[in-house]
mmCIF file with all atom_site columns, all heavy atoms in Angstrom:
data_model
loop_
_atom_site.group_PDB
_atom_site.id
_atom_site.type_symbol
_atom_site.label_atom_id
_atom_site.label_alt_id
_atom_site.label_comp_id
_atom_site.label_asym_id
_atom_site.label_entity_id
_atom_site.label_seq_id
_atom_site.pdbx_PDB_ins_code
_atom_site.Cartn_x
_atom_site.Cartn_y
_atom_site.Cartn_z
_atom_site.occupancy
_atom_site.B_iso_or_equiv
_atom_site.pdbx_formal_charge
_atom_site.auth_seq_id
_atom_site.auth_comp_id
_atom_site.auth_asym_id
_atom_site.auth_atom_id
_atom_site.pdbx_PDB_model_num
ATOM 1   N N   . SER A 1 32  ? 114.698 88.639 98.257  1.00 0.00 ? 32  SER A N   1
ATOM 2   C CA  . SER A 1 32  ? 114.116 88.405 99.582  1.00 0.00 ? 32  SER A CA  1
ATOM 3   C C   . SER A 1 32  ? 115.212 88.612 100.614 1.00 0.00 ? 32  SER A C   1
ATOM 4   O O   . SER A 1 32  ? 116.356 88.152 100.363 1.00 0.00 ? 32  SER A O   1
ATOM 5   C CB  . SER A 1 32  ? 113.605 86.982 99.661  1.00 0.00 ? 32  SER A CB  1
ATOM 6   O OG  . SER A 1 32  ? 112.447 86.892 98.874  1.00 0.00 ? 32  SER A OG  1
ATOM 7   N N   . ARG A 1 39  ? 117.022 90.989 112.058 1.00 0.00 ? 39  ARG A N   1
ATOM 8   C CA  . ARG A 1 39  ? 118.436 90.752 112.188 1.00 0.00 ? 39  ARG A CA  1
ATOM 9   C C   . ARG A 1 39  ? 119.012 91.375 113.425 1.00 0.00 ? 39  ARG A C   1
ATOM 10  O O   . ARG A 1 39  ? 119.919 90.778 114.081 1.00 0.00 ? 39  ARG A O   1
ATOM 11  C CB  . ARG A 1 39  ? 119.214 91.309 110.991 1.00 0.00 ? 39  ARG A CB  1
ATOM 12  C CG  . ARG A 1 39  ? 118.981 90.514 109.676 1.00 0.00 ? 39  ARG A CG  1
ATOM 13  C CD  . ARG A 1 39  ? 119.750 91.266 108.549 1.00 0.00 ? 39  ARG A CD  1
ATOM 14  N NE  . ARG A 1 39  ? 121.152 91.021 108.571 1.00 0.00 ? 39  ARG A NE  1
ATOM 15  C CZ  . ARG A 1 39  ? 122.080 91.906 108.301 1.00 0.00 ? 39  ARG A CZ  1
ATOM 16  N NH1 . ARG A 1 39  ? 121.732 93.117 108.083 1.00 0.00 ? 39  ARG A NH1 1
ATOM 17  N NH2 . ARG A 1 39  ? 123.334 91.623 108.317 1.00 0.00 ? 39  ARG A NH2 1
ATOM 18  N N   . GLU A 1 68  ? 115.874 79.783 103.183 1.00 0.00 ? 68  GLU A N   1
ATOM 19  C CA  . GLU A 1 68  ? 117.070 80.611 103.072 1.00 0.00 ? 68  GLU A CA  1
ATOM 20  C C   . GLU A 1 68  ? 117.315 81.522 104.296 1.00 0.00 ? 68  GLU A C   1
ATOM 21  O O   . GLU A 1 68  ? 118.432 81.704 104.734 1.00 0.00 ? 68  GLU A O   1
ATOM 22  C CB  . GLU A 1 68  ? 116.950 81.450 101.740 1.00 0.00 ? 68  GLU A CB  1
ATOM 23  C CG  . GLU A 1 68  ? 118.212 82.133 101.431 1.00 0.00 ? 68  GLU A CG  1
ATOM 24  C CD  . GLU A 1 68  ? 118.058 83.108 100.203 1.00 0.00 ? 68  GLU A CD  1
ATOM 25  O OE1 . GLU A 1 68  ? 116.960 83.124 99.596  1.00 0.00 ? 68  GLU A OE1 1
ATOM 26  O OE2 . GLU A 1 68  ? 119.025 83.808 99.925  1.00 0.00 ? 68  GLU A OE2 1
ATOM 27  N N   . LYS A 1 183 ? 124.538 96.417 115.959 1.00 0.00 ? 183 LYS A N   1
ATOM 28  C CA  . LYS A 1 183 ? 124.869 96.255 114.495 1.00 0.00 ? 183 LYS A CA  1
ATOM 29  C C   . LYS A 1 183 ? 125.040 94.771 114.290 1.00 0.00 ? 183 LYS A C   1
ATOM 30  O O   . LYS A 1 183 ? 125.920 94.085 114.879 1.00 0.00 ? 183 LYS A O   1
ATOM 31  C CB  . LYS A 1 183 ? 126.251 96.951 114.235 1.00 0.00 ? 183 LYS A CB  1
ATOM 32  C CG  . LYS A 1 183 ? 126.623 96.900 112.750 1.00 0.00 ? 183 LYS A CG  1
ATOM 33  C CD  . LYS A 1 183 ? 127.870 97.762 112.543 1.00 0.00 ? 183 LYS A CD  1
ATOM 34  C CE  . LYS A 1 183 ? 128.168 97.781 111.084 1.00 0.00 ? 183 LYS A CE  1
ATOM 35  N NZ  . LYS A 1 183 ? 128.349 96.507 110.442 1.00 0.00 ? 183 LYS A NZ  1
ATOM 36  N N   . HIS A 1 186 ? 127.959 89.857 110.344 1.00 0.00 ? 186 HIS A N   1
ATOM 37  C CA  . HIS A 1 186 ? 127.854 89.170 109.129 1.00 0.00 ? 186 HIS A CA  1
ATOM 38  C C   . HIS A 1 186 ? 128.033 87.704 109.361 1.00 0.00 ? 186 HIS A C   1
ATOM 39  O O   . HIS A 1 186 ? 128.796 87.258 110.274 1.00 0.00 ? 186 HIS A O   1
ATOM 40  C CB  . HIS A 1 186 ? 128.925 89.659 108.108 1.00 0.00 ? 186 HIS A CB  1
ATOM 41  C CG  . HIS A 1 186 ? 128.660 91.102 107.730 1.00 0.00 ? 186 HIS A CG  1
ATOM 42  N ND1 . HIS A 1 186 ? 127.782 91.470 106.732 1.00 0.00 ? 186 HIS A ND1 1
ATOM 43  C CD2 . HIS A 1 186 ? 129.189 92.232 108.204 1.00 0.00 ? 186 HIS A CD2 1
ATOM 44  C CE1 . HIS A 1 186 ? 127.780 92.729 106.642 1.00 0.00 ? 186 HIS A CE1 1
ATOM 45  N NE2 . HIS A 1 186 ? 128.621 93.257 107.490 1.00 0.00 ? 186 HIS A NE2 1
ATOM 46  N N   . VAL A 1 189 ? 132.028 82.482 106.913 1.00 0.00 ? 189 VAL A N   1
ATOM 47  C CA  . VAL A 1 189 ? 132.055 81.458 105.850 1.00 0.00 ? 189 VAL A CA  1
ATOM 48  C C   . VAL A 1 189 ? 131.794 80.057 106.404 1.00 0.00 ? 189 VAL A C   1
ATOM 49  O O   . VAL A 1 189 ? 131.006 79.299 105.855 1.00 0.00 ? 189 VAL A O   1
ATOM 50  C CB  . VAL A 1 189 ? 133.496 81.495 105.123 1.00 0.00 ? 189 VAL A CB  1
ATOM 51  C CG1 . VAL A 1 189 ? 133.563 80.386 104.140 1.00 0.00 ? 189 VAL A CG1 1
ATOM 52  C CG2 . VAL A 1 189 ? 133.680 82.855 104.512 1.00 0.00 ? 189 VAL A CG2 1
ATOM 53  N N   . SER A 1 200 ? 122.280 70.458 108.582 1.00 0.00 ? 200 SER A N   1
ATOM 54  C CA  . SER A 1 200 ? 122.158 71.641 109.495 1.00 0.00 ? 200 SER A CA  1
ATOM 55  C C   . SER A 1 200 ? 120.883 71.490 110.299 1.00 0.00 ? 200 SER A C   1
ATOM 56  O O   . SER A 1 200 ? 119.879 70.966 109.820 1.00 0.00 ? 200 SER A O   1
ATOM 57  C CB  . SER A 1 200 ? 122.260 72.948 108.721 1.00 0.00 ? 200 SER A CB  1
ATOM 58  O OG  . SER A 1 200 ? 121.063 73.095 107.954 1.00 0.00 ? 200 SER A OG  1
ATOM 59  N N   . ARG C 2 6   ? 117.980 73.110 101.409 1.00 0.00 ? 6   ARG C N   1
ATOM 60  C CA  . ARG C 2 6   ? 118.748 74.279 101.864 1.00 0.00 ? 6   ARG C CA  1
ATOM 61  C C   . ARG C 2 6   ? 119.199 75.064 100.690 1.00 0.00 ? 6   ARG C C   1
ATOM 62  O O   . ARG C 2 6   ? 119.380 74.496 99.587  1.00 0.00 ? 6   ARG C O   1
ATOM 63  C CB  . ARG C 2 6   ? 120.000 73.805 102.666 1.00 0.00 ? 6   ARG C CB  1
ATOM 64  C CG  . ARG C 2 6   ? 119.760 72.732 103.628 1.00 0.00 ? 6   ARG C CG  1
ATOM 65  C CD  . ARG C 2 6   ? 119.091 73.291 104.896 1.00 0.00 ? 6   ARG C CD  1
ATOM 66  N NE  . ARG C 2 6   ? 119.194 72.367 106.017 1.00 0.00 ? 6   ARG C NE  1
ATOM 67  C CZ  . ARG C 2 6   ? 118.310 71.472 106.449 1.00 0.00 ? 6   ARG C CZ  1
ATOM 68  N NH1 . ARG C 2 6   ? 117.208 71.332 105.786 1.00 0.00 ? 6   ARG C NH1 1
ATOM 69  N NH2 . ARG C 2 6   ? 118.485 70.766 107.496 1.00 0.00 ? 6   ARG C NH2 1
ATOM 70  N N   . MET C 2 12  ? 124.640 81.406 99.015  1.00 0.00 ? 12  MET C N   1
ATOM 71  C CA  . MET C 2 12  ? 124.635 82.129 100.339 1.00 0.00 ? 12  MET C CA  1
ATOM 72  C C   . MET C 2 12  ? 125.899 82.930 100.439 1.00 0.00 ? 12  MET C C   1
ATOM 73  O O   . MET C 2 12  ? 125.894 83.979 101.070 1.00 0.00 ? 12  MET C O   1
ATOM 74  C CB  . MET C 2 12  ? 124.455 81.142 101.413 1.00 0.00 ? 12  MET C CB  1
ATOM 75  C CG  . MET C 2 12  ? 123.673 81.748 102.513 1.00 0.00 ? 12  MET C CG  1
ATOM 76  S SD  . MET C 2 12  ? 122.908 80.437 103.454 1.00 0.00 ? 12  MET C SD  1
ATOM 77  C CE  . MET C 2 12  ? 122.758 81.238 104.976 1.00 0.00 ? 12  MET C CE  1
ATOM 78  N N   . LYS C 2 15  ? 125.390 86.066 98.409  1.00 0.00 ? 15  LYS C N   1
ATOM 79  C CA  . LYS C 2 15  ? 124.454 87.037 99.008  1.00 0.00 ? 15  LYS C CA  1
ATOM 80  C C   . LYS C 2 15  ? 125.117 87.648 100.242 1.00 0.00 ? 15  LYS C C   1
ATOM 81  O O   . LYS C 2 15  ? 124.950 88.874 100.470 1.00 0.00 ? 15  LYS C O   1
ATOM 82  C CB  . LYS C 2 15  ? 123.201 86.266 99.417  1.00 0.00 ? 15  LYS C CB  1
ATOM 83  C CG  . LYS C 2 15  ? 121.974 87.149 99.583  1.00 0.00 ? 15  LYS C CG  1
ATOM 84  C CD  . LYS C 2 15  ? 120.713 86.404 99.629  1.00 0.00 ? 15  LYS C CD  1
ATOM 85  C CE  . LYS C 2 15  ? 119.590 87.323 99.985  1.00 0.00 ? 15  LYS C CE  1
ATOM 86  N NZ  . LYS C 2 15  ? 118.268 86.673 100.004 1.00 0.00 ? 15  LYS C NZ  1
ATOM 87  N N   . ARG C 2 19  ? 126.260 91.572 100.582 1.00 0.00 ? 19  ARG C N   1
ATOM 88  C CA  . ARG C 2 19  ? 125.813 92.525 101.634 1.00 0.00 ? 19  ARG C CA  1
ATOM 89  C C   . ARG C 2 19  ? 127.010 93.123 102.379 1.00 0.00 ? 19  ARG C C   1
ATOM 90  O O   . ARG C 2 19  ? 126.986 94.364 102.625 1.00 0.00 ? 19  ARG C O   1
ATOM 91  C CB  . ARG C 2 19  ? 124.938 91.687 102.616 1.00 0.00 ? 19  ARG C CB  1
ATOM 92  C CG  . ARG C 2 19  ? 124.346 92.593 103.715 1.00 0.00 ? 19  ARG C CG  1
ATOM 93  C CD  . ARG C 2 19  ? 123.832 91.736 104.873 1.00 0.00 ? 19  ARG C CD  1
ATOM 94  N NE  . ARG C 2 19  ? 122.534 91.246 104.724 1.00 0.00 ? 19  ARG C NE  1
ATOM 95  C CZ  . ARG C 2 19  ? 121.415 91.918 105.105 1.00 0.00 ? 19  ARG C CZ  1
ATOM 96  N NH1 . ARG C 2 19  ? 121.530 93.110 105.601 1.00 0.00 ? 19  ARG C NH1 1
ATOM 97  N NH2 . ARG C 2 19  ? 120.281 91.438 104.898 1.00 0.00 ? 19  ARG C NH2 1
ATOM 98  N N   . GLU C 2 24  ? 129.699 97.481 104.171 1.00 0.00 ? 24  GLU C N   1
ATOM 99  C CA  . GLU C 2 24  ? 130.937 97.779 104.820 1.00 0.00 ? 24  GLU C CA  1
ATOM 100 C C   . GLU C 2 24  ? 131.982 98.383 103.861 1.00 0.00 ? 24  GLU C C   1
ATOM 101 O O   . GLU C 2 24  ? 132.674 99.294 104.330 1.00 0.00 ? 24  GLU C O   1
ATOM 102 C CB  . GLU C 2 24  ? 131.587 96.518 105.440 1.00 0.00 ? 24  GLU C CB  1
ATOM 103 C CG  . GLU C 2 24  ? 130.611 95.693 106.253 1.00 0.00 ? 24  GLU C CG  1
ATOM 104 C CD  . GLU C 2 24  ? 130.253 96.355 107.648 1.00 0.00 ? 24  GLU C CD  1
ATOM 105 O OE1 . GLU C 2 24  ? 130.937 97.338 108.017 1.00 0.00 ? 24  GLU C OE1 1
ATOM 106 O OE2 . GLU C 2 24  ? 129.320 95.856 108.297 1.00 0.00 ? 24  GLU C OE2 1
ATOM 107 N N   . THR C 2 49  ? 134.621 87.546 109.302 1.00 0.00 ? 49  THR C N   1
ATOM 108 C CA  . THR C 2 49  ? 133.702 86.676 108.537 1.00 0.00 ? 49  THR C CA  1
ATOM 109 C C   . THR C 2 49  ? 134.338 85.325 108.244 1.00 0.00 ? 49  THR C C   1
ATOM 110 O O   . THR C 2 49  ? 133.699 84.494 107.605 1.00 0.00 ? 49  THR C O   1
ATOM 111 C CB  . THR C 2 49  ? 133.443 87.342 107.124 1.00 0.00 ? 49  THR C CB  1
ATOM 112 O OG1 . THR C 2 49  ? 134.596 87.410 106.359 1.00 0.00 ? 49  THR C OG1 1
ATOM 113 C CG2 . THR C 2 49  ? 132.879 88.766 107.276 1.00 0.00 ? 49  THR C CG2 1
ATOM 114 N N   . ALA C 2 63  ? 137.347 77.002 106.862 1.00 0.00 ? 63  ALA C N   1
ATOM 115 C CA  . ALA C 2 63  ? 135.946 76.715 106.677 1.00 0.00 ? 63  ALA C CA  1
ATOM 116 C C   . ALA C 2 63  ? 135.719 75.551 105.764 1.00 0.00 ? 63  ALA C C   1
ATOM 117 O O   . ALA C 2 63  ? 134.592 74.979 105.658 1.00 0.00 ? 63  ALA C O   1
ATOM 118 C CB  . ALA C 2 63  ? 135.218 77.945 106.130 1.00 0.00 ? 63  ALA C CB  1
#
Side-chain angles (χ1 to χ4, degrees):
Chain A
S32 291
R39 286 176 78 222
E68 187 186 357
K183 185 174 185 302
H186 293 279
V189 175
S200 68
Chain C
R6 313 285 198 263
M12 215 154 155
K15 201 166 171 178
R19 182 197 276 271
E24 311 287 348
T49 68

